[in-house]
């Protein structure tokens, strides 16, 4: 059940990330992320009220806010990277990085992955290196994979990993209120960062508003099964299976944007996705 819930989250997140990355080609990624977080807040609130809760403790509130702040910074880096580079490369790099941190956390807490997972960790590191140094397809030179883009993707993945760890600390008694609290924190964080880091504040976002609302709805829908998966199963399994979201993102980028990667980059992406699968075998 944990794997299925996490995979459901991955499919929804993959769709949201593609829409967010596509919109970030028109407007600054961090501004798109801020609008998307705000757009999903009413949906999260309705869901939390309908689901109810038994007890919302102080630590639950703290971890919810911490996870929201972490995912906010991660999304700002993530959408910025996708706005500057190939979506089909940025997403796997972020996913691999995001999967490694929770696995390390799980190891410290006593979870012991199998040999397949350990092999996956090694392949993941190699995949990031390959994608980082590989030349881009000439047809997409305007969105080449630069060290800056890869760096942003890795940084985004690190914050996504923190989000998984923080979210896993929330008790099942809190119901779905952590989804709303996380969304409040992420919205406030991005609403503060976006005007400070970009020119024009939130002006000129009307063309990407439909994409942002779609991203917000998909993200809220994805957070629900993710929370349940992290609460009910091993953190290593839930977080890594949820990190399969690049499969959907890469597929959509290939179908809609017709993105093509060099053979070396393609090999790196395949290794990254294979690493996530191997890690999930723990």
């Amino acid at each position: 059940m944990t794997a299925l819930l996490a995979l459901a989250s991955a499919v929804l997140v993959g769709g949201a990330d593609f829409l967010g990355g596509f919109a970030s080609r028109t407007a600054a990624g961090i501004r798109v992320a801020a609008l998307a977080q705000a757009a999903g807040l009413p949906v999260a609130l309705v869901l939390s009220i309908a689901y109810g809760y038994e007890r919302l403790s102080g630590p639950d509130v703290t971890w919810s806010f911490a996870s929201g702040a972490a995912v906010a910074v991660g999304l700002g880096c993530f959408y910025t990277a996708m706005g500057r580079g190939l979506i089909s490369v940025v997403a796997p790099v972020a996913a691999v990085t995001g999967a490694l941190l929770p696995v390390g956390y799980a190891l410290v807490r006593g979870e012991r992955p199998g040999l397949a997972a350990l092999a996956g960790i090694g392949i993941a590191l190699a995949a990031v290196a390959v994608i980082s140094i590989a030349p881009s397809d000439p047809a997409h030179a305007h969105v080449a994979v630069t060290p800056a883009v890869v760096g942003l993707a890795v940084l985004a993945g690190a914050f996504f990993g923190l989000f998984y760890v923080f979210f896993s600390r929330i008790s099942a008694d809190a119901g779905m209120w952590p989804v709303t609290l996380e969304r409040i924190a992420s919205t406030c964080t991005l609403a503060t960062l976006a005007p400070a880091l970009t020119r024009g504040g939130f002006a000129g976002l009307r063309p990407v508003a439909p994409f942002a609302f779609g991203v917000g709805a998909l993200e809220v829908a994805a957070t629900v099964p993710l929370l349940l998966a992290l609460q009910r199963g091993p953190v290593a399994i839930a977080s890594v299976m949820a990190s399969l979201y690049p499969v959907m993102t890469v597929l959509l980028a290939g179908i809609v944007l017709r993105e093509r990667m060099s053979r070396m980059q393609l090999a790196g992406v395949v290794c990254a996705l294979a690493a996530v699968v191997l890690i999930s075998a723990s």
Side-chain angles (χ1 to χ4, degrees), residues 2-251:
T2 296
L4 290 177
L5 287 169
L7 281 174
S9 175
V11 171
L12 293 169
V13 170
D17 286 346
F18 171 75
L19 289 178
F22 184 77
S24 297
R25 299 266 172 100
T26 303
I30 195 168
R31 293 162 64 194
V32 173
L35 184 59
Q37 293 298 293
L41 185 53
V43 180
L45 182 59
V46 171
L47 176 67
S48 298
I49 294 173
Y51 193 89
Y53 70 101
E54 294 181 17
R55 179 175 178 270
L56 187 62
S57 67
D60 290 334
V61 174
T62 300
W63 289 120
S64 297
F65 282 143
S67 65
V71 81
V73 178
L75 286 172
C77 296
F78 191 56
Y79 287 167
T80 300
M82 288 197 292
R84 298 178 181 178
L86 288 175
I87 293 175
S88 50
V89 171
V90 172
V93 171
V96 168
T97 308
L100 291 176
L101 195 151
V103 169
Y105 167 77
L107 287 172
V108 172
R109 294 196 66 185
E111 293 182 21
R112 290 294 176 263
L115 292 176
L118 293 175
I121 292 173
I123 294 174
L125 295 174
V128 173
V130 168
I131 294 172
S132 302
I133 64 175
S136 302
D137 189 296
H140 293 281
H142 62 293
V143 285
V145 181
T146 65
V149 168
V150 174
L152 283 170
V154 170
L155 188 61
F159 279 100
F160 291 158
L162 286 176
F163 165 74
Y164 291 138
V165 171
F166 295 159
F167 226 41
S168 72
R169 301 298 301 271
I170 299 169
S171 69
D173 293 338
M176 287 296 126
W177 278 103
V179 177
T180 296
L181 296 176
E182 173 269 326
R183 182 69 44 162
I184 291 173
S186 62
T187 300
C188 291
T189 301
L190 284 167
T192 302
L193 291 176
L197 299 179
T198 60
R199 295 180 179 178
F202 293 102
L205 287 179
R206 181 174 295 181
V208 300
F211 295 99
F213 281 99
V215 171
L218 286 171
E219 285 178 345
V220 171
T223 305
V224 174
L226 176 61
L227 176 60
L228 295 174
L230 289 169
Q231 288 173 337
R232 300 179 182 185
V235 175
I237 299 298
S239 59
V240 174
M241 295 303 285
S243 296
L244 282 169
Y245 64 84
V247 175
M248 178 62 68
T249 307
V250 169
L251 285 175

